[in-house]
mmCIF file of all heavy atoms in Angstrom:
data_model
loop_
_atom_site.group_PDB
_atom_site.id
_atom_site.type_symbol
_atom_site.label_atom_id
_atom_site.label_comp_id
_atom_site.label_asym_id
_atom_site.label_seq_id
_atom_site.Cartn_x
_atom_site.Cartn_y
_atom_site.Cartn_z
ATOM 1 N N GLN A 100 2.168 -7.782 5.377
ATOM 2 C CA GLN A 100 3.123 -7.886 6.477
ATOM 3 C C GLN A 100 3.202 -9.316 6.985
ATOM 4 O O GLN A 100 4.285 -9.814 7.300
ATOM 5 C CB GLN A 100 2.729 -6.937 7.609
ATOM 6 C CG GLN A 100 2.921 -5.467 7.299
ATOM 7 C CD GLN A 100 2.632 -4.594 8.495
ATOM 8 O OE1 GLN A 100 3.027 -4.906 9.615
ATOM 9 N NE2 GLN A 100 1.936 -3.484 8.274
ATOM 10 N N GLU A 101 2.073 -9.982 7.040
ATOM 11 C CA GLU A 101 2.058 -11.374 7.492
ATOM 12 C C GLU A 101 2.807 -12.266 6.511
ATOM 13 O O GLU A 101 3.538 -13.180 6.914
ATOM 14 C CB GLU A 101 0.612 -11.853 7.640
ATOM 15 C CG GLU A 101 0.465 -13.253 8.196
ATOM 16 C CD GLU A 101 0.984 -13.399 9.615
ATOM 17 O OE1 GLU A 101 1.001 -12.400 10.358
ATOM 18 O OE2 GLU A 101 1.383 -14.526 9.988
ATOM 19 N N VAL A 102 2.649 -12.012 5.215
ATOM 20 C CA VAL A 102 3.361 -12.788 4.188
ATOM 21 C C VAL A 102 4.874 -12.660 4.371
ATOM 22 O O VAL A 102 5.625 -13.639 4.235
ATOM 23 C CB VAL A 102 2.945 -12.317 2.781
ATOM 24 C CG1 VAL A 102 3.866 -12.924 1.707
ATOM 25 C CG2 VAL A 102 1.502 -12.697 2.503
ATOM 26 N N LEU A 103 5.355 -11.457 4.693
ATOM 27 C CA LEU A 103 6.796 -11.196 4.789
ATOM 28 C C LEU A 103 7.387 -11.523 6.159
ATOM 29 O O LEU A 103 8.611 -11.478 6.329
ATOM 30 C CB LEU A 103 7.073 -9.721 4.468
ATOM 31 C CG LEU A 103 6.842 -9.273 3.025
ATOM 32 C CD1 LEU A 103 7.066 -7.776 2.893
ATOM 33 C CD2 LEU A 103 7.761 -10.030 2.069
ATOM 34 N N SER A 104 6.552 -11.842 7.122
ATOM 35 C CA SER A 104 7.049 -12.090 8.476
ATOM 36 C C SER A 104 8.085 -13.212 8.492
ATOM 37 O O SER A 104 7.836 -14.314 7.980
ATOM 38 C CB SER A 104 5.876 -12.463 9.392
ATOM 39 O OG SER A 104 6.328 -12.692 10.708
ATOM 40 N N GLY A 105 9.253 -12.929 9.058
ATOM 41 C CA GLY A 105 10.318 -13.921 9.171
ATOM 42 C C GLY A 105 11.136 -14.133 7.916
ATOM 43 O O GLY A 105 12.061 -14.945 7.912
ATOM 44 N N LEU A 106 10.848 -13.371 6.853
ATOM 45 C CA LEU A 106 11.508 -13.572 5.562
ATOM 46 C C LEU A 106 12.431 -12.413 5.206
ATOM 47 O O LEU A 106 12.186 -11.268 5.582
ATOM 48 C CB LEU A 106 10.477 -13.680 4.438
ATOM 49 C CG LEU A 106 9.740 -14.985 4.197
ATOM 50 C CD1 LEU A 106 8.771 -14.791 3.046
ATOM 51 C CD2 LEU A 106 10.704 -16.120 3.899
ATOM 52 N N ILE A 107 13.467 -12.724 4.455
ATOM 53 C CA ILE A 107 14.143 -11.726 3.648
ATOM 54 C C ILE A 107 14.040 -12.206 2.208
ATOM 55 O O ILE A 107 14.282 -13.387 1.915
ATOM 56 C CB ILE A 107 15.604 -11.494 4.062
ATOM 57 C CG1 ILE A 107 16.211 -10.374 3.200
ATOM 58 C CG2 ILE A 107 16.445 -12.771 4.011
ATOM 59 C CD1 ILE A 107 17.516 -9.823 3.730
ATOM 60 N N GLU A 108 13.612 -11.316 1.318
ATOM 61 C CA GLU A 108 13.428 -11.679 -0.082
ATOM 62 C C GLU A 108 14.522 -11.042 -0.934
ATOM 63 O O GLU A 108 14.940 -9.908 -0.675
ATOM 64 C CB GLU A 108 12.062 -11.208 -0.589
ATOM 65 C CG GLU A 108 10.888 -11.872 0.103
ATOM 66 C CD GLU A 108 9.557 -11.492 -0.516
ATOM 67 O OE1 GLU A 108 9.498 -10.466 -1.242
ATOM 68 O OE2 GLU A 108 8.576 -12.219 -0.294
ATOM 69 N N LEU A 109 14.945 -11.773 -1.962
ATOM 70 C CA LEU A 109 15.886 -11.246 -2.946
ATOM 71 C C LEU A 109 15.265 -11.393 -4.320
ATOM 72 O O LEU A 109 14.968 -12.519 -4.759
ATOM 73 C CB LEU A 109 17.222 -11.992 -2.882
ATOM 74 C CG LEU A 109 18.304 -11.486 -3.837
ATOM 75 C CD1 LEU A 109 18.738 -10.071 -3.444
ATOM 76 C CD2 LEU A 109 19.513 -12.414 -3.828
ATOM 77 N N HIS A 110 15.040 -10.269 -4.986
ATOM 78 C CA HIS A 110 14.422 -10.243 -6.308
ATOM 79 C C HIS A 110 15.487 -9.847 -7.335
ATOM 80 O O HIS A 110 16.071 -8.763 -7.256
ATOM 81 C CB HIS A 110 13.279 -9.231 -6.337
ATOM 82 C CG HIS A 110 12.196 -9.516 -5.347
ATOM 83 N ND1 HIS A 110 11.058 -10.221 -5.669
ATOM 84 C CD2 HIS A 110 12.083 -9.192 -4.017
ATOM 85 C CE1 HIS A 110 10.287 -10.318 -4.596
ATOM 86 N NE2 HIS A 110 10.881 -9.697 -3.586
ATOM 87 N N CYS A 111 15.749 -10.721 -8.285
ATOM 88 C CA CYS A 111 16.779 -10.482 -9.305
ATOM 89 C C CYS A 111 16.147 -9.913 -10.575
ATOM 90 O O CYS A 111 15.033 -10.300 -10.959
ATOM 91 C CB CYS A 111 17.504 -11.783 -9.646
ATOM 92 S SG CYS A 111 18.269 -12.603 -8.223
ATOM 93 N N PHE A 112 16.862 -9.021 -11.225
ATOM 94 C CA PHE A 112 16.399 -8.454 -12.488
ATOM 95 C C PHE A 112 17.618 -8.075 -13.324
ATOM 96 O O PHE A 112 18.757 -8.099 -12.832
ATOM 97 C CB PHE A 112 15.494 -7.241 -12.256
ATOM 98 C CG PHE A 112 16.123 -6.139 -11.449
ATOM 99 C CD1 PHE A 112 16.867 -5.138 -12.055
ATOM 100 C CD2 PHE A 112 15.981 -6.108 -10.066
ATOM 101 C CE1 PHE A 112 17.460 -4.122 -11.320
ATOM 102 C CE2 PHE A 112 16.557 -5.090 -9.314
ATOM 103 C CZ PHE A 112 17.298 -4.102 -9.942
ATOM 104 N N ALA A 113 17.405 -7.734 -14.563
ATOM 105 C CA ALA A 113 18.511 -7.407 -15.460
ATOM 106 C C ALA A 113 19.259 -6.187 -14.950
ATOM 107 O O ALA A 113 18.700 -5.104 -14.843
ATOM 108 C CB ALA A 113 17.987 -7.150 -16.867
ATOM 109 N N GLY A 114 20.514 -6.395 -14.602
ATOM 110 C CA GLY A 114 21.349 -5.288 -14.158
ATOM 111 C C GLY A 114 21.301 -4.993 -12.679
ATOM 112 O O GLY A 114 21.895 -3.999 -12.242
ATOM 113 N N GLY A 115 20.653 -5.843 -11.893
ATOM 114 C CA GLY A 115 20.630 -5.567 -10.457
ATOM 115 C C GLY A 115 19.790 -6.539 -9.665
ATOM 116 O O GLY A 115 19.387 -7.608 -10.141
ATOM 117 N N TYR A 116 19.500 -6.158 -8.442
ATOM 118 C CA TYR A 116 18.715 -6.994 -7.537
ATOM 119 C C TYR A 116 18.140 -6.106 -6.445
ATOM 120 O O TYR A 116 18.612 -4.984 -6.205
ATOM 121 C CB TYR A 116 19.588 -8.095 -6.914
ATOM 122 C CG TYR A 116 20.813 -7.563 -6.212
ATOM 123 C CD1 TYR A 116 20.772 -7.149 -4.883
ATOM 124 C CD2 TYR A 116 22.025 -7.450 -6.894
ATOM 125 C CE1 TYR A 116 21.898 -6.633 -4.256
ATOM 126 C CE2 TYR A 116 23.153 -6.940 -6.268
ATOM 127 C CZ TYR A 116 23.084 -6.537 -4.952
ATOM 128 O OH TYR A 116 24.190 -6.027 -4.336
ATOM 129 N N ALA A 117 17.092 -6.603 -5.779
ATOM 130 C CA ALA A 117 16.437 -5.853 -4.714
ATOM 131 C C ALA A 117 16.195 -6.774 -3.530
ATOM 132 O O ALA A 117 15.769 -7.919 -3.705
ATOM 133 C CB ALA A 117 15.112 -5.264 -5.201
ATOM 134 N N GLY A 118 16.472 -6.282 -2.324
ATOM 135 C CA GLY A 118 16.194 -7.019 -1.101
ATOM 136 C C GLY A 118 15.029 -6.378 -0.372
ATOM 137 O O GLY A 118 14.882 -5.155 -0.358
ATOM 138 N N LEU A 119 14.181 -7.208 0.239
ATOM 139 C CA LEU A 119 12.982 -6.715 0.918
ATOM 140 C C LEU A 119 12.779 -7.468 2.216
ATOM 141 O O LEU A 119 12.791 -8.705 2.238
ATOM 142 C CB LEU A 119 11.755 -6.897 0.015
ATOM 143 C CG LEU A 119 10.420 -6.397 0.566
ATOM 144 C CD1 LEU A 119 10.414 -4.870 0.648
ATOM 145 C CD2 LEU A 119 9.261 -6.887 -0.299
ATOM 146 N N THR A 120 12.589 -6.717 3.315
ATOM 147 C CA THR A 120 12.296 -7.337 4.608
ATOM 148 C C THR A 120 11.619 -6.316 5.503
ATOM 149 O O THR A 120 11.755 -5.107 5.312
ATOM 150 C CB THR A 120 13.590 -7.870 5.265
ATOM 151 O OG1 THR A 120 13.261 -8.649 6.413
ATOM 152 C CG2 THR A 120 14.499 -6.740 5.690
ATOM 153 N N LEU A 121 10.858 -6.808 6.477
ATOM 154 C CA LEU A 121 10.204 -5.932 7.446
ATOM 155 C C LEU A 121 11.199 -5.470 8.497
ATOM 156 O O LEU A 121 12.119 -6.211 8.866
ATOM 157 C CB LEU A 121 9.048 -6.665 8.130
ATOM 158 C CG LEU A 121 7.834 -7.021 7.277
ATOM 159 C CD1 LEU A 121 6.854 -7.836 8.107
ATOM 160 C CD2 LEU A 121 7.149 -5.769 6.733
ATOM 161 N N GLN A 122 10.992 -4.255 9.017
ATOM 162 C CA GLN A 122 11.834 -3.756 10.096
ATOM 163 C C GLN A 122 10.999 -3.479 11.341
ATOM 164 O O GLN A 122 9.803 -3.758 11.379
ATOM 165 C CB GLN A 122 12.624 -2.536 9.639
ATOM 166 C CG GLN A 122 13.618 -2.906 8.543
ATOM 167 C CD GLN A 122 14.671 -1.868 8.269
ATOM 168 O OE1 GLN A 122 14.360 -0.692 8.169
ATOM 169 N NE2 GLN A 122 15.915 -2.298 8.143
ATOM 170 N N GLU A 123 11.650 -2.936 12.374
ATOM 171 C CA GLU A 123 11.044 -2.904 13.705
ATOM 172 C C GLU A 123 9.764 -2.080 13.781
ATOM 173 O O GLU A 123 8.896 -2.338 14.630
ATOM 174 C CB GLU A 123 12.056 -2.413 14.739
ATOM 175 C CG GLU A 123 12.391 -0.931 14.702
ATOM 176 C CD GLU A 123 13.429 -0.565 13.669
ATOM 177 O OE1 GLU A 123 13.894 -1.470 12.922
ATOM 178 O OE2 GLU A 123 13.792 0.621 13.592
ATOM 179 N N ASP A 124 9.606 -1.103 12.903
ATOM 180 C CA ASP A 124 8.420 -0.249 12.973
ATOM 181 C C ASP A 124 7.276 -0.762 12.105
ATOM 182 O O ASP A 124 6.253 -0.085 11.957
ATOM 183 C CB ASP A 124 8.775 1.189 12.582
ATOM 184 C CG ASP A 124 9.304 1.301 11.161
ATOM 185 O OD1 ASP A 124 9.401 0.272 10.465
ATOM 186 O OD2 ASP A 124 9.627 2.433 10.736
ATOM 187 N N GLY A 125 7.442 -1.952 11.515
ATOM 188 C CA GLY A 125 6.397 -2.537 10.691
ATOM 189 C C GLY A 125 6.490 -2.185 9.231
ATOM 190 O O GLY A 125 5.805 -2.809 8.398
ATOM 191 N N ARG A 126 7.310 -1.194 8.870
ATOM 192 C CA ARG A 126 7.490 -0.869 7.464
ATOM 193 C C ARG A 126 8.453 -1.868 6.815
ATOM 194 O O ARG A 126 9.289 -2.477 7.489
ATOM 195 C CB ARG A 126 8.026 0.541 7.292
ATOM 196 C CG ARG A 126 7.056 1.640 7.694
ATOM 197 C CD ARG A 126 7.662 3.010 7.507
ATOM 198 N NE ARG A 126 8.841 3.199 8.350
ATOM 199 C CZ ARG A 126 9.654 4.246 8.262
ATOM 200 N NH1 ARG A 126 9.430 5.175 7.353
ATOM 201 N NH2 ARG A 126 10.692 4.359 9.068
ATOM 202 N N ALA A 127 8.321 -2.020 5.513
ATOM 203 C CA ALA A 127 9.238 -2.875 4.768
ATOM 204 C C ALA A 127 10.374 -2.027 4.212
ATOM 205 O O ALA A 127 10.158 -0.906 3.739
ATOM 206 C CB ALA A 127 8.511 -3.583 3.631
ATOM 207 N N ASN A 128 11.568 -2.569 4.279
ATOM 208 C CA ASN A 128 12.761 -1.906 3.765
ATOM 209 C C ASN A 128 13.094 -2.526 2.410
ATOM 210 O O ASN A 128 13.418 -3.708 2.321
ATOM 211 C CB ASN A 128 13.919 -2.100 4.742
ATOM 212 C CG ASN A 128 15.064 -1.149 4.477
ATOM 213 O OD1 ASN A 128 14.870 0.048 4.363
ATOM 214 N ND2 ASN A 128 16.271 -1.683 4.386
ATOM 215 N N LEU A 129 12.976 -1.735 1.360
ATOM 216 C CA LEU A 129 13.279 -2.196 0.001
ATOM 217 C C LEU A 129 14.578 -1.547 -0.436
ATOM 218 O O LEU A 129 14.622 -0.337 -0.702
ATOM 219 C CB LEU A 129 12.139 -1.828 -0.954
ATOM 220 C CG LEU A 129 12.368 -2.160 -2.445
ATOM 221 C CD1 LEU A 129 12.546 -3.664 -2.645
ATOM 222 C CD2 LEU A 129 11.207 -1.631 -3.290
ATOM 223 N N CYS A 130 15.642 -2.342 -0.489
ATOM 224 C CA CYS A 130 16.964 -1.845 -0.907
ATOM 225 C C CYS A 130 17.319 -2.461 -2.245
ATOM 226 O O CYS A 130 17.201 -3.675 -2.431
ATOM 227 C CB CYS A 130 18.029 -2.210 0.136
ATOM 228 S SG CYS A 130 18.120 -1.032 1.481
ATOM 229 N N LEU A 131 17.791 -1.642 -3.132
ATOM 230 C CA LEU A 131 18.060 -2.067 -4.498
ATOM 231 C C LEU A 131 19.463 -1.641 -4.903
ATOM 232 O O LEU A 131 19.910 -0.537 -4.571
ATOM 233 C CB LEU A 131 17.010 -1.427 -5.413
ATOM 234 C CG LEU A 131 17.031 -1.656 -6.908
ATOM 235 C CD1 LEU A 131 15.604 -1.557 -7.443
ATOM 236 C CD2 LEU A 131 17.892 -0.614 -7.608
#
């Protein structure tokens, strides 16, 4: 959680991409 604090990440892969960021309850939201 500390690593991801203040960040939005975009991970690219063959045929798509995934976004990752922390939300208000402390869980990370991984959308692909």
Side-chain angles (χ1 to χ4, degrees):
Q100 290 185 43
E101 184 64 26
V102 169
L103 292 176
S104 181
L106 280 179
I107 183 166
E108 296 186 342
L109 182 66
H110 301 265
C111 303
F112 57 88
Y116 55 86
L119 182 69
T120 189
L121 292 176
Q122 295 195 315
E123 73 278 2
D124 61 0
R126 292 180 298 172
N128 195 51
L129 176 62
C130 275
L131 179 151

